Amino acid sequence: MEAILEHCCGLDVHRDTVVACLLTGNLQDRPHKEIRTFSTMSKGLHELAAWLHAASCTYVAMESTGVYWKPVYHVLEESCEIRLANAQRIKNVPGRKTDISDAECIAKLLRSGLIEGSFVPPQDIRELRELTRHRKKLVHHMTAEKNRIQKVLESAGIKLASVISDVFGVTGRALLRQLMDNGRLDQESVRSLVKGQIKNKVPQLMDALQGKLSSHHRFLLAQSWQHLTHLEHSIQAFDETIDSHLVPYRVEIDILRTLPGVDVTAASAILAEVGADMLQFHSERHLASWAGLSPG
């Protein structure tokens, strides 16, 4: 393989250690190889950065496996050009058996220019990505909690979903709170709680609420309700934080919202995943592939 870099380093990153293989020397000669192992603690990573700086090495490559690469990237990104390699492509190279050979193989591939770095967005976009992904998980948890509440109601014979399209709307929540507090509802209570067009469905609601809600059911409902409200407050806090991160990207968000079916939440997720600089992608096909919209 023809060498194109005189100073480069391959990193094999694990949870507790980073094995670094430094290759230096003229392009025509066999490179000098030096291998060291560093701790992934902050002190160890800064020792790694100082070692690379002393060796005048500014080209580094490592695999993008798990989350262990992130602290290494954060420490080295200001002083080095880092190529975050697709682990699947590098692992196809035969002969890698140990951490040292892994790091050496990565360094050799980097020295020959055979590692194509993955797209790593700037720090603010990375933070936005973590926020939008975490918010998505909270929404999934919230949906699961709502389903649990529905199952408890069904097991108690309360068919609220058969009459109200949105059990967790204004009327549905008011009825649920009363059920958890009192265990049953009379017709006058139902009339005072319903809103809008549901007022015309009071007789159907009374039939739907005639199930047997035991203390066991009320306990389950109360626990799920407490968790649900906590998740809703957390999602609201995430929305506020995400909104503050979107301030520099209002133009991009407005453009994305012109797409049919894309609201602020979807636009922020798109921005977080692909970034604002489209020059990172060779073509629209590359962008679609990165976004996971291309068939396997």
Side-chain angles (χ1 to χ4, degrees):
M1 294 184 291
E2 182 181 356
I4 63 172
L5 296 175
E6 291 185 347
H7 300 77
C8 63
C9 183
L11 303 179
D12 187 49
V13 183
H14 299 275
R15 185 191 65 182
D16 300 321
T17 59
V18 179
V19 179
C21 177
L22 177 65
L23 298 181
T24 58
N26 296 327
L27 300 180
Q28 297 79 15
D29 302 330
R30 187 181 183 88
H32 171 71
K33 178 174 65 177
E34 184 177 359
I35 296 177
R36 291 192 185 183
T37 300
F38 298 88
S39 168
T40 53
M41 299 293 184
S42 181
K43 179 182 178 181
L45 295 180
H46 283 90
E47 289 175 353
L48 170 61
W51 178 60
L52 294 175
H53 178 74
S56 301
C57 177
T58 57
Y59 293 95
V60 176
M62 58 183 172
E63 295 177 352
S64 59
T65 51
V67 297
Y68 300 138
W69 64 270
K70 291 186 177 182
V72 182
Y73 191 97
H74 292 161
V75 171
L76 298 181
E77 65 176 329
E78 293 184 0
S79 58
C80 299
E81 180 180 324
I82 306 175
R83 295 188 184 178
L84 194 64
N86 187 314
Q88 184 178 11
R89 295 178 182 178
I90 295 182
K91 288 184 183 297
N92 288 332
V93 179
R96 300 173 59 204
K97 303 298 182 184
T98 65
D99 298 342
I100 294 176
S101 60
D102 282 355
E104 184 177 353
C105 178
I106 294 173
K108 289 179 178 179
L109 292 173
L110 177 60
R111 180 174 168 84
S112 301
L114 297 179
I115 293 182
E116 182 179 358
S118 300
F119 164 55
V120 180
Q123 179 68 22
D124 59 338
I125 295 294
R126 295 203 299 268
E127 292 176 356
L128 179 63
R129 179 183 294 178
E130 289 184 346
L131 289 169
T132 55
R133 289 181 178 181
H134 196 143
R135 183 192 183 278
K136 183 179 179 181
K137 290 181 180 179
L138 291 178
V139 171
H140 288 167
H141 292 326
M142 184 177 68
T143 302
E145 206 62 71
K146 288 181 177 180
N147 290 336
R148 291 188 190 100
I149 292 176
Q150 294 273 37
K151 289 180 180 179
V152 173
L153 293 175
E154 289 290 337
S155 68
I158 296 176
K159 314 291 288 185
L160 198 59
S162 300
V163 181
I164 302 178
S165 58
D166 183 9
V167 175
F168 298 94
V170 176
T171 296
R173 286 173 180 266
L175 294 173
L176 284 173
R177 281 192 290 266
Q178 281 286 72
L179 281 173
M180 287 185 288
D181 292 339
N182 303 323
R184 60 185 299 277
L185 288 169
D186 56 33
Q187 189 165 344
E188 290 302 320
S189 298
V190 172
R191 289 187 183 278
S192 65
L193 293 174
V194 295
K195 305 293 181 182
Q197 296 182 351
I198 305 179
K199 290 181 178 180
N200 300 325
K201 297 182 179 180
V202 172
Q204 294 94 313
L205 272 177
M206 292 305 302
D207 292 338
L209 295 170
Q210 292 305 312
K212 185 178 180 181
L213 194 67
S214 66
S215 59
H216 169 70
H217 293 133
R218 291 170 63 184
F219 172 79
L220 292 176
L221 288 175
Q223 295 303 309
S224 291
W225 186 264
Q226 182 180 358
H227 190 204
L228 176 62
T229 54
H230 171 72
L231 289 171
E232 289 174 340
H233 291 154
S234 296
I235 291 173
Q236 182 179 358
F238 268 84
D239 286 338
E240 293 172 356
T241 305
I242 289 172
D243 189 62
S244 66
H245 277 69
L246 294 178
V247 172
Y249 300 101
R250 288 302 179 193
V251 175
E252 289 82 355
I253 292 296
D254 290 341
I255 293 173
L256 286 170
R257 291 184 64 189
T258 61
L259 296 171
V262 175
D263 58 6
V264 173
T265 301
S268 60
I270 294 172
L271 179 66
E273 295 301 325
V274 304
D277 183 10
M278 295 298 100
L279 295 178
Q280 297 282 353
F281 304 99
H282 306 312
S283 65
E284 68 277 10
R285 293 177 180 271
H286 186 199
L287 172 60
S289 177
W290 171 263
L293 301 177
S294 299

